[in-house]
Each structure stands twice: as structure tokens, then as C-alpha cells.
Amino acid sequence: MSRLIVVSNRVNPPADTAVGTQGGLAMALSAALREENGIWFGWSGQVTDTYTGHLSIQKIGGVTVALTDLEQQDVQEYYNGYANRTLWPLFHYRTDLVAFERTYDEGYLRVNQRFADTLFPLIEKDDLIWVQDYHLLPLAQKLREHEVKNRIGFFLHIPWPAMRVFQTLPKHMELVETLFDYDLIGFQTEDSLSAFQEYVVNCAGGELHADGRLTAFGKTIQAAAFPIGIDAEEFITAANSDKALAFYNLMRNSQAGRKMITGVDRLDYSKGLEERFLAYEQFLNNHPRMEGEVFLMQIATATREEVGTYQDLRARLDSLSGRINGEHATIDWVPVRYVNRAYRRDELAGIYRASQVGLVTPLRDGMNLVAKEFVAAQDERDPGVLILSEFAGAAAQMKAALIVNPFDRQAMAEAISEAVHMPLKERRQRHADLLEDVKARDVVWWRNDFVARLKGEPVRLHEVEAVA
Ligand code: ADP
Ligand code: F6P
């Protein structure tokens, strides 16, 4: 029987799934791999003086986890450098924040080579290999250099940018050429898929076939959209657990009858946190009678702290939340509760459930799993309202949310007002529509679809249509 080998930069052993962790990729894969007798390969998160290529192999929850350490220079050039100073801002349309450094390119290719060299001896003839995300775009090319003939798939968890944005990357063509060593490439949305197709056809001189295959650089690959979901049933169970209930009660008591507008994000500039704070302030200014009646609960966990743009953002948010509170707070009301710590999943579920409004307003996001978790955690009898950015991949599926343009402060302020005042009947209807889709297109649906396509089986188009 063929095994599934998942490769990702960050590896969260499945035994950790009960604990709150940051990052949609880690959450999604731990849920997906729980049922697979596969191998999950990636970086241990540990740093050594010099790279050894040593693999630590452990069996956790039925999954073999194979981890390799990286050396300090690798982490700086590959993870903090090319992945998070070059590709991340570029793919999120923040060309103003992109750093192009030759050493980052070199480090990125070196680590991909090291991953390929270390993974290669583990690969058996019939294994399917599934590579995750922007850290590892060229991995298939490096594996093919070892004569690996297995089927290799790639899934991009972040957006693929518009052609003219992508073309600002030095050596953009070389990077795309490496993708043609995969058999299948998956994107979160049709939007990202189209942007990739446009690049291949109009920049790389390739061809888009009627069945969706792409030919360029003398090779033909499959490319399609596979919107990722959450482990919906488990999240609903978590939202009904004792721990969630305890957090729900804690929140409700501390709300003292006030409506809670909640945001939960990594502290990342793609998440639109400053714009969100300012829109909330605009809402208070537009509706002075709401002062003391609502508050914003923003949970923003620090991430990628060695990267300067993240340090700058943190400083700006500290100052902005302080200013809004200084200007609007009274002796018995604080308008913004700004929290930098991480919570367990069941605790988060309790917080979501106690919220009257979920504010998910990234400026650009591959999917955004928080939007789906918020919906799954609600009490169907008295659900909260989801406000969702049109620039989150999730907006293509979650049309019953209040969809907003996160760059439009007034429109966001009015959406907050609409959400806070929405009648129960409308809240129930919107929530029912959203929940149906969150359950139908969950993480298992996503994985099964991708793996079936990677094996060469036909896509389950009828199921896609049924829930569309
Ligand atoms: P990204 O992958 O860019 O971080 P997503 O919204 O897709 O964005 O996924 C974020 C994941 O991280 C979600 O599963 C969410 O529950 C989790 N998360 C975000 N912030 C926190 C936090 N403060 N504590 C615990 N988990 C968090
Ligand atoms: O989902 C996007 C993503 O970048 C994942 O690839 C990543 O694991 C997650 O967000 C968190 O980022 P990091 O691994 O850098 O903490």
C-alpha cells in the first residue's frame, strides 16, 4: 500500500492537536494525518551550530514524524530571510516590505536541497509525496535530481499574487520553473489559480489546456483550487467541552452584558490589525451611544519575532491600542482588550462562542481558518455574526458573512454596527448557511480531494457543486 509523505517547514506532531498552536497549516495537517499511516517530514524547529543531516524519527499517534535540525545561517536566510522577508510579503501584495537579498536566495535553495537530501532515503517506490507551502516551492526539483519518480504534489497555503506583482521577484521565472517538477499544484482559491495560469501563459509562454493542465518548460502539470477547511466536527466538540464552557463563562462574566467583538490572529501585517483597530474606533465615533456597550477583544499572538517588520508592527499596535483606550476609556469601561498570548483550541472555542461578532479582516489571506472556527464554535440558537474581508480566501465560500473591504474604514465601521444590531432571525439564517459549508468542506474533504487528484483519480466535481 502506498504511504503518504507530507513535507512542511513546521511539523506539529498529531499528539499536540488538543493544544492551541499558531498557524492554519499545522492545525490542518495534524487533523489530516491523524487518519493516515504516513510520514510527516520537516524542520524540528531546533538550531545547531552546523547542519548534520541527522534525522530524528519518532512514532506519534500512528504517524511517523521525521525531523531535521537546521543551522543558524539556514534559519536566518531561509526561514527569516527568503520565506518571511521575501516571499511572504510579496505573495501578500506588500511589495513595499519585500527584501531581496542574494544570501536569502542561496539559503532558501540550500535548505530545500538539504530537505531533499535528507528525505530521499526515506522514500519508497509507491509513496505519494505532498509538499506544503511557500517555504518549499523548489523541493520537487531537488528530489527529481535524486531521480525520484514518485508522484509529488504541492499545496500553497497563501495567495498566489497577480502576475505583475510576482514579476517584481528577481528570478521569478526560475522559481516557477521549479514548480513544473510537481505532478499537481493546489491553490486555496480560483483567484490564485487564475493568477498562476496567467503567469504561465503570458509570462512563461506556456499553454493552458481545456482540462486545466498546464504546459511550460517542456513539462505538463495539473493545477487546481482546493480550499482548505477545518476539522469541523472536532472543533464543534471542543466548543462544547468543559474547558470551552469554563472559558465561555469566564468571558460572559467579564463582559457584564456588553457585546464582545472578537479578533484572533497571528500578529502579522497581512491580518489588517491596524485597519481593524481604526475601523472600530470609527464605529465608536460614528455611534457614541455604543461607548460602554461593546468592546473589542483582539487576541494577537506574536510570530516571526526575529523579522523587523513584525517588531515594527507590534510597536505600532501597542501604541494604537493604547491611544484608543486613552481617548475613549472610562473608569469602568475599556474599549480595546488587546492580548498577545496564545490559547488552547478549546479555550479559543469558548471565547469565539461568547462573542457577538467575529472580526476577520485580513488585507490578504490564503484562506483564514479563524473565520471557519468562529462559525463552528457558535451556539446555533444564538449565534454571533461573522464580518469577513473580501480579501480572505474564505470569502469565496463564506458568502453569508458580512463581507467587507478592510481598506474602507467607514464601511467596516458600518458593518460592525450592522453586526451588533442584527436581529436573531437573520443571525440564525446566516450562521446556518455558513455552518453547512464549514462542515461539508472540512479538512478531510480537502485532503481527500487533493490526495485523490495526486493519485490520478478524477476530482469529485459533483460534491464541489453540491456544496457550492
Ligand atoms: P495563519 O495560517 O496565517 O496563521 P489562519 O487563520 O488560517 O491564519 O490560521 C490560524 C490558526 O492559528 C487558527 O487555527 C487559529 O485558531 C490559530 N491561532 C491564531 N491565534 C491564536 C492564539 N492566540 N492562540 C491559539 N491559536 C491561535
Ligand atoms: O498558513 C500560512 C502559514 O504561513 C503557514 O505556512 C505557517 O505554518 C503558519 O502560517 C504560521 O507561520 P509560522 O510557521 O511562520 O509561524
Side-chain angles (χ1 to χ4, degrees), residues 2 36 128 151 184 450-457:
S2 72
E36 294 283 341
L128 289 176
R151 290 184 71 81
L184 171 65
F450 191 95
V451 172
R453 265 300 265 278
L454 185 55
K455 283 179 180 161
E457 293 168 8

Side-chain angles (χ1 to χ4, degrees), residues 21 23-24 27 264 266 271 299 301 341-343 348 369-370 373:
T21 54
M27 298 311 301
V264 175
R266 281 183 305 101
K271 302 294 180 184
I299 300 176
T301 322
R341 66 179 64 196
Y343 289 91
L348 268 189
L369 297 178
V370 167
E373 292 169 0

